[in-house]
């Protein structure tokens, strides 16, 4: 059975607790439950992690080489400036889909640019938690 890792970056453990107009009312636990259910429907395995620490995110990306068939990542604010996370993604030979809950292009200018997008398979933005469901579906049904 194919196995996918979902990586959430800094502050995403605060989902549902603040800024519902931007990020919605659902919590990180709700997201993980949604993805677990989606994985059952798609007949794949999913495991989720969240960290506020850049190095832990990088270690998880590296470990995924031996543990997964693909990665879904929301790097949080690291999206906009972490060349280290970009290099980690580039170092693994796995399909990686970048997800953002909010429509970053409608927000502050510093959120408009992603330094990780050039090394990902694709990017989904602005569709709330459903973006993760779409990403998991794309990986599950993909050829890679
Ligand atoms: O839209 C996204 O998913 C973001 O990756 C979320 C990041 C932000 O820095 C990116 O520009 C876009 C921030 C996550 C913070 O999450 C919070 C959740 C609830 C309350 C406060 C922050």
């Amino acid at each position: 059975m194919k196995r996918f890792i979902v990586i959430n970056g800094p502050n995403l453990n605060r989902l549902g607790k603040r800024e519902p107009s931007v990020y919605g009312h659902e919590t990180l636990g709700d997201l993980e439950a949604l993805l677990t259910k989606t994985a059952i429907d798609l007949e794949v395995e999913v495991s989720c992690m969240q960290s506020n620490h850049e190095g832990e995110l990088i270690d998880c990306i590296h470990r995924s080489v031996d543990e997964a068939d693909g990665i879904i990542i929301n790097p949080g604010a690291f999206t906009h400036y972490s060349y280290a996370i970009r290099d980690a993604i580039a170092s693994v030979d796995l399909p990686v889909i970048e997800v953002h809950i909010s429509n970053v292009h409608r927000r502050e200018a510093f959120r408009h640019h992603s330094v990780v997008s050039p090394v990902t398979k694709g990017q989904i933005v602005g569709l709330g938690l459903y973006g993760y469901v779409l990403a998991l579906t794309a990986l599950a049904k993909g050829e890679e």
Side-chain angles (χ1 to χ4, degrees):
M1 198 179 262
K2 283 188 183 171
R3 183 145 191 260
F4 301 107
I5 310 275
V6 179
I7 301 174
N8 278 299
N11 298 307
L12 286 157
N13 54 316
R14 301 294 296 156
L15 270 183
K17 298 179 172 33
R18 296 269 169 171
E19 299 191 60
S21 60
V22 180
Y23 298 113
H25 290 278
E26 289 167 300
T27 65
L28 186 64
D30 293 333
L31 171 62
E32 294 179 356
L34 174 65
L35 292 173
T36 300
K37 182 184 168 301
T38 304
I40 292 167
D41 293 344
L42 291 167
E43 299 181 339
V44 299
E45 285 180 20
V46 70
S47 71
C48 301
M49 75 84 76
Q50 186 276 330
S51 176
N52 295 318
H53 305 280
E54 191 176 26
E56 284 186 12
L57 297 169
I58 291 167
D59 287 343
C60 183
I61 293 166
H62 293 170
R63 275 198 309 275
S64 298
V65 173
D66 298 317
E67 297 176 3
D69 299 295
I71 298 173
I72 296 164
I73 186 164
N74 181 346
F78 285 138
T79 302
H80 313 300
Y81 66 92
S82 175
Y83 299 118
I85 288 180
R86 174 195 170 122
D87 285 349
I89 292 170
S91 81
V92 299
D93 190 17
L94 290 172
V96 178
I97 299 183
E98 176 188 355
V99 173
H100 298 287
I101 296 167
S102 65
N103 182 349
V104 285
H105 303 292
R106 293 180 63 176
R107 302 182 65 195
E108 302 96 319
F110 78 87
R111 298 187 202 275
H112 297 177
H113 182 64
S114 166
V115 300
V116 306
S117 290
V119 292
T120 63
K121 183 175 173 69
Q123 186 198 47
I124 299 170
V125 310
L127 301 183
L129 302 192
Y130 190 57
Y132 293 84
V133 173
L134 292 175
L136 185 57
T137 305
L139 288 178
K141 298 196 179 295
E143 290 160 22
E144 288 168 288

